[in-house]
């Protein structure tokens, strides 16, 4: 999914987002506007040092794979149903690959999903991510912002996070701003222009059939 006029998309989302902040939700207040504060972030530095990288695999694995993905991207959902599971079995669980997952934010809903996924900490993150992608077609099309926020809360509750904590995570505008700044830093540096995209030992790789992806990793292991 190629949608990286992201700064432009962000500006549009900010303009639209303020309206939705006034709408009620059946499970609590709506989360912050998607890229709230990102306009200010372009004028002043945002400290992203406390953002936790979500990592699987051995710290000293010979190959590092970074995935850039959006929770609202259908191509990302397909990768996680197929390629990611094979990657985990073949390379992550065998100590050959250190895998880093980095979220991309094309819209407010992808950001909200990320805030729910991170709400349970690193130990719950990948399990929630799996639930997000498995049910993407349901929660992402649940209706308006209030309905989508409620569906995301349901996923969080399935992972054992209570409503108060979910509301706190979703309402954390400072974290939202930090996550957007963090995403923009990495995506700009690694020239990410579509999702899912990957970095294999620092080399950018586009989405492709798993057999080809596996061959690239095996080539790195052979070096």
């Amino acid at each position: 999914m190629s949608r990286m006029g992201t700064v432009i998309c962000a500006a549009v989302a900010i303009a639209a987002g303020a309206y939705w902040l006034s709408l009620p939700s059946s499970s609590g207040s709506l989360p912050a506007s998607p890229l709230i504060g990102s306009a200010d972030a372009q004028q002043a530095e945002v400290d992203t040092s406390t953002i936790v990288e979500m990592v699987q695999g051995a710290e000293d694995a010979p190959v590092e794979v970074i995935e850039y993905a959006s929770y609202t991207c259908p191509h990302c959902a397909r990768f996680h149903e197929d390629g990611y599971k094979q990657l985990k079995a073949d390379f992550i669980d065998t100590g050959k690959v250190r895998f880093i997952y980095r979220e991309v934010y094309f819209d407010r809903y992808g950001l909200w999903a990320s805030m729910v996924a991170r709400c349970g900490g690193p130990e719950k993150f990948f399990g929630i991510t799996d639930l997000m992608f498995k049910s993407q077609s349901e929660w992402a099309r649940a209706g308006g912002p209030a309905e989508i926020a409620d569906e995301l809360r349901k996923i969080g509750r399935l992972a054992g996070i209570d409503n108060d904590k979910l509301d706190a995570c979703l309402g954390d505008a400072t974290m939202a701003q930090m996550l957007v700044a963090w995403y923009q830093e990495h995506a700009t540096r690694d020239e990410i222009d579509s999702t899912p995209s990957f970095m294999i030992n620092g080399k950018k790789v586009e989405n492709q059939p798993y057999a080809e992806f596996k061959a690239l990793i095996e080539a790195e292991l052979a070096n």
Side-chain angles (χ1 to χ4, degrees), residues 10-173:
V12 173
I14 293 164
Y19 170 74
W20 298 111
L21 291 174
S22 65
L23 295 180
S25 164
S26 61
S27 300
S29 60
L30 277 172
S33 179
L35 307 172
I36 200 161
S38 66
D40 293 337
Q42 294 174 31
Q43 300 173 14
E45 290 294 322
V46 175
D47 182 6
T48 61
S49 62
T50 59
I51 299 296
V52 176
E53 288 275 27
M54 297 302 175
V55 181
Q56 288 181 315
E59 188 68 28
D60 60 351
V63 177
E64 180 183 82
V65 174
I66 302 172
E67 179 189 2
Y68 285 91
S70 165
Y71 286 114
T72 56
C73 160
H75 298 293
C76 302
R78 283 195 288 274
F79 172 76
H80 274 262
E81 282 299 296
D82 182 20
Y84 164 74
K85 290 180 179 178
Q86 296 181 72
L87 174 69
K88 190 171 186 299
D90 291 344
F91 298 109
I92 299 172
D93 291 346
T94 57
K96 297 173 183 176
V97 160
R98 180 175 183 261
F99 177 76
I100 301 171
Y101 181 94
R102 288 182 183 157
E103 304 97 296
V104 169
Y105 308 124
F106 291 123
D107 48 51
R108 80 181 88 193
Y109 306 131
L111 176 58
W112 295 354
S114 173
M115 294 170 82
V116 169
R118 287 175 169 271
C119 197
E123 62 274 12
K124 290 182 182 280
F125 179 82
F126 285 98
I128 296 175
T129 291
D130 186 50
L131 291 172
M132 292 280 186
F133 281 127
K134 280 183 177 177
S135 60
Q136 182 193 79
S137 61
E138 299 164 25
W139 66 260
R141 300 174 186 172
E147 290 79 14
I148 289 173
D150 283 344
E151 289 300 312
L152 290 172
R153 288 184 181 92
K154 287 179 185 177
I155 293 172
R157 289 195 295 271
L158 281 175
I161 307 172
D162 65 42
N163 281 328
D164 287 345
K165 186 171 183 181
L166 286 167
D167 282 344
C169 289
L170 282 167
D172 191 341

